[in-house]
Amino acid sequence: MFTAHRGRLTLIGAVAVGAVVALAGCASGDPLAEPSSSATDSTIVVGSQAYYSNEIIAEIYSQALEAGGFTVDRQFQIGQREVYLPDIEDGKIDVFPEYTGSLLQALDKAAVGGTSDATYTELQAALPDNLRVLDKAEASDQNSWTVTDAVASKYSLTDIASLTNVTEPITVGGNSELETRPYGPTALKEKYGIKIAGFVPVEDSGGPLTVKALVDGDIQLANIYTADPNIKTNSLVALTDPDGLFFPDNIVPVVSQKVDDSAAAILNKVSAALTADMLVDLNSQSFNDKLSADKIATAWLTQEKLV
Amino acid sequence: MSFFIETLAWLLDPANWIGAGGIPTRLAQHLLFTLVTLIVAAVIAVPIGFVIGHTGRGRGLAVAISGAFRAIPTLGLLTLVALWVGIGLSAPFVALIVLAIPPILAGAYTGFEAIDRKIIDAARAVGMSEAQILLKVELPLGLPLLIGGLRSATLQVVATATLAAYIANFGLGRYLFEGLRIRDYGEMLGGSVLVILLAIVLEGVFALIQKLVVPRGVTEGLPTDIRDGSSRSRPVMETTIEKGNSNVHST
């Protein structure tokens, strides 16, 4: 006869237990931590950014390593640098395609940058002891402040500093993190005195929505990566950067101590073969031809006789 | 535990409560956007739902179409529309209307369908016109279920309106995207807490409205306990205590 009451008690009990478990779950440290990898010790974990071009390079690294007899665990599309860098530093990821200048700026806010080689040397010094960078590639995928052809010719824009010629309000568009980056809208204001009207988040990492917003005139200035095939197809103008606001961003694998000499040799061969034009072409195969990263990687590695 | 403290610290930081990117502004944007979306979705869905409910025709089609609508991923639709109309609020607006229509439509026609046909026949027998039947009988009796549909649409829209920040400097979603990108989990969770609070408040408001719109004739006319023909009598309710309380009905 007490079924109803007992049922209710059970319910209250269940809710209470649930709440306690939930709270305990929150209390025991980092709920966003990655579950510990079940892979064996010999497995090399390759990571990539949530950026299609970075994923292609990560896939190239993975297939090259697999061809060399290594077992690879792919952890692709892990957000932006702020998200994955701690995992690399903790040794949870063994190989990650990175960009010399951007990584340097993330590791050392006071970095000076300079030429491609100087940036690379500075990066080697800035890395924590358990990490190292292998050879850098000639290919670079650099941040750039990009405008449309029309705006560039109207105000005769060539380099970033010439943006002061622009009389209409400049709205900047890009990923959220751009707003706080050292080369972001604040730097444009403070360093060059460029009048920035506002910042609009377009969360696709300089992808099609950003390009469309730029072409439509919803934004006037966007951060598009220089290896982006869109620059050519939409006649955009990447403003030159004589003052080194952006650091040179050559592609370089960041590796943990688990990457031994034979694995390092494989990755160095890949970097030696990767030229700037090839990178634009790889990106174009993904962006314009809609090929998947693994197909693009296989085709390129075969073409370069690396597998 | 540190996330709790970071979240609290973020929520209590006075700097986050002022200016164009402050919590009050973003909260107001979010609420306004949700309400406008719901109104537009209701203007589209309610008349269609009423026609289906009143005539009993086209139900199969409505179920199929709204089912298909429900299956559309909102972020995908938003991106697709944005590639066509550009960045700003239009694309999230369209995507959220598509999200809100199915529950409102379902609420509108099921509200009519749930009405005992005898009541409609009686209304017709006393000489009511079709318009009168619609406005004086079906609408008031179907209103609780319609409000129920609006309520579930509201919950979905208020939560999904965070996607507006994917392509616009707008709403509470900004905190989520920005926090995620720059790894400021205090900001991200703080933004989520605000969305949750807003959802709970709206849910409470609708629960209240849903109770208030039950016509007096319906609540007063409820039989004491003897619902003849009710197949849902539960044996556990047969205790004396339950019987004593049974004139308080939960619909």
Side-chain angles (χ1 to χ4, degrees):
Chain A
M1 283 295 112
F2 289 100
T3 322
H5 298 278
R6 206 178 297 151
R8 202 165 295 165
L9 270 178
T10 315
L11 182 69
I12 293 168
V15 169
V17 169
V20 167
V21 168
L23 284 173
C26 295
S28 65
D30 186 353
L32 301 165
E34 299 257 316
S36 55
S37 174
S38 59
T40 52
D41 275 340
S42 65
T43 306
I44 294 179
V45 181
V46 180
S48 95
Q49 299 179 348
Y51 169 44
Y52 71 97
S53 172
N54 194 266
E55 189 183 338
I56 295 171
I57 300 160
E59 183 62 39
I60 289 175
Y61 289 170
S62 304
Q63 290 187 13
L65 288 170
E66 279 169 344
F70 294 91
T71 315
V72 171
D73 176 17
R74 291 171 174 77
Q75 297 288 337
F76 291 172
Q77 297 280 333
I78 332 180
Q80 305 300 317
R81 193 165 289 107
E82 286 84 353
V83 179
Y84 63 73
L85 194 55
D87 281 351
I88 300 181
E89 287 173 342
D90 291 351
K92 285 180 192 153
I93 303 169
D94 302 310
V95 178
F96 208 106
E98 260 294 359
Y99 305 91
T100 50
S102 296
L103 179 60
L104 174 61
Q105 277 179 307
L107 291 169
D108 179 8
K109 295 262 179 294
V112 285
T115 64
S116 165
D117 286 335
T119 307
Y120 179 70
T121 316
E122 207 179 341
L123 174 61
Q124 285 175 315
L127 279 171
D129 290 341
N130 59 337
L131 297 175
R132 62 185 171 130
V133 282
L134 303 178
D135 294 352
K136 64 181 165 66
E138 185 222 314
S140 75
D141 197 357
Q142 207 148 318
N143 289 296
S144 76
W145 284 122
T146 300
V147 293
T148 57
D149 197 18
V151 172
S153 53
K154 187 173 172 191
Y155 296 104
S156 46
L157 303 180
T158 48
D159 59 358
I160 296 172
S162 64
L163 279 168
T164 44
N165 300 347
V166 180
T167 47
E168 59 192 298
I170 301 176
T171 304
V172 178
N175 280 354
S176 286
E177 74 268 15
L178 180 63
E179 208 179 356
T180 49
R181 285 282 157 88
Y183 44 78
T186 319
L188 293 180
K189 261 189 255 181
E190 288 171 1
K191 208 167 163 184
Y192 297 99
I194 298 162
K195 289 189 190 69
I196 303 289
F199 177 80
V200 179
V202 187
E203 307 279 356
D204 70 343
S205 302
L209 288 172
T210 313
V211 171
K212 179 170 170 59
L214 194 62
V215 173
D216 288 356
D218 290 326
I219 56 177
Q220 284 70 44
L221 192 62
N223 177 11
I224 311 260
Y225 310 125
T226 49
D228 191 333
N230 269 306
I231 292 182
K232 210 181 275 176
T233 47
N234 289 286
S235 13
L236 304 177
V237 177
L239 300 174
T240 57
D241 177 26
D243 306 323
L245 182 67
F246 299 111
F247 288 9
D249 264 329
N250 294 81
I251 288 167
V252 69
V254 179
V255 301
S256 74
Q257 282 161 338
K258 226 157 95 180
V259 173
D260 58 18
D261 287 348
S262 63
I266 293 172
L267 294 174
N268 282 340
K269 260 188 222 162
V270 170
S271 293
L274 192 61
T275 65
D277 290 343
M278 272 176 195
L279 182 62
V280 179
D281 182 52
L282 292 174
N283 289 349
S284 170
Q285 287 179 38
S286 169
F287 194 84
N288 295 327
D289 308 337
K290 313 289 175 210
L291 293 176
S292 65
D294 63 330
K295 285 205 181 98
I296 298 172
T298 311
W300 185 80
L301 285 166
T302 318
Q303 172 200 314
E304 295 299 312
K305 302 189 174 56
L306 290 166
V307 288
Chain B
M1 209 58 191
S2 67
F3 285 124
F4 276 134
I5 296 160
E6 275 175 44
T7 306
L8 258 183
W10 184 84
L11 283 171
L12 296 176
D13 185 352
N16 290 330
W17 286 84
I18 46 167
I23 292 170
T25 316
R26 296 217 185 281
L27 204 61
Q29 286 173 339
H30 201 95
L31 183 62
L32 195 71
F33 192 57
T34 303
L35 294 180
V36 171
T37 306
L38 282 170
I39 290 168
V40 174
V43 166
I44 298 168
V46 170
I48 301 174
F50 280 180
V51 169
I52 294 168
H54 183 74
T55 61
R57 284 191 211 117
R59 186 174 181 275
L61 191 69
V63 170
I65 291 174
S66 64
F69 268 33
R70 275 183 213 256
I72 295 174
T74 307
L75 183 59
L77 181 63
L78 184 151
T79 309
L80 206 64
V81 179
L83 281 174
W84 177 41
V85 299
I87 60 164
L89 288 180
S90 331
F93 188 55
V94 172
L96 288 176
I97 288 173
V98 169
L99 180 75
I101 284 177
I104 300 177
L105 186 65
Y109 70 69
T110 52
F112 278 22
E113 278 178 353
I115 302 166
D116 192 339
R117 296 318 294 177
K118 280 182 232 162
I119 297 174
I120 316 256
D121 290 344
R124 203 163 276 137
V126 298
M128 280 189 175
S129 67
E130 290 303 303
Q132 281 174 320
I133 293 172
L134 183 76
L135 292 175
K136 294 189 170 170
V137 180
E138 288 179 319
L139 185 60
L141 288 173
L143 207 52
L145 277 175
L146 172 63
I147 301 291
L150 279 168
R151 181 175 165 181
S152 91
T154 307
L155 202 60
Q156 290 185 40
V157 170
V158 79
T160 318
T162 45
L163 286 183
Y166 190 72
I167 48 169
N169 188 5
F170 191 88
L172 294 171
R174 266 304 260 138
Y175 298 133
L176 271 65
F177 279 111
E178 193 179 65
L180 180 67
R181 296 284 195 177
I182 64 173
R183 220 166 178 262
D184 184 346
Y185 292 139
E187 176 178 5
M188 201 170 111
L189 291 174
S192 315
V193 167
L194 293 171
V195 175
I196 293 165
L197 287 179
L198 193 59
I200 292 174
V201 169
L202 288 175
E203 181 72 3
V205 169
F206 270 100
L208 196 69
I209 297 175
Q210 209 173 358
K211 264 196 186 142
L212 291 177
V213 295
V214 177
R216 215 150 43 128
V218 175
T219 36
E220 280 184 354
L222 282 176
T224 39
D225 187 38
I226 317 113
R227 287 189 287 173
D228 54 315
S230 167
S231 58
R232 300 190 61 195
S233 64
R234 285 170 287 175
V236 290
M237 298 292 263
E238 292 292 305
T239 61
T240 42
I241 303 165
E242 294 295 339
K243 261 189 181 164
N245 284 336
S246 57
N247 55 342
V248 184
H249 251 277
S250 60
T251 52

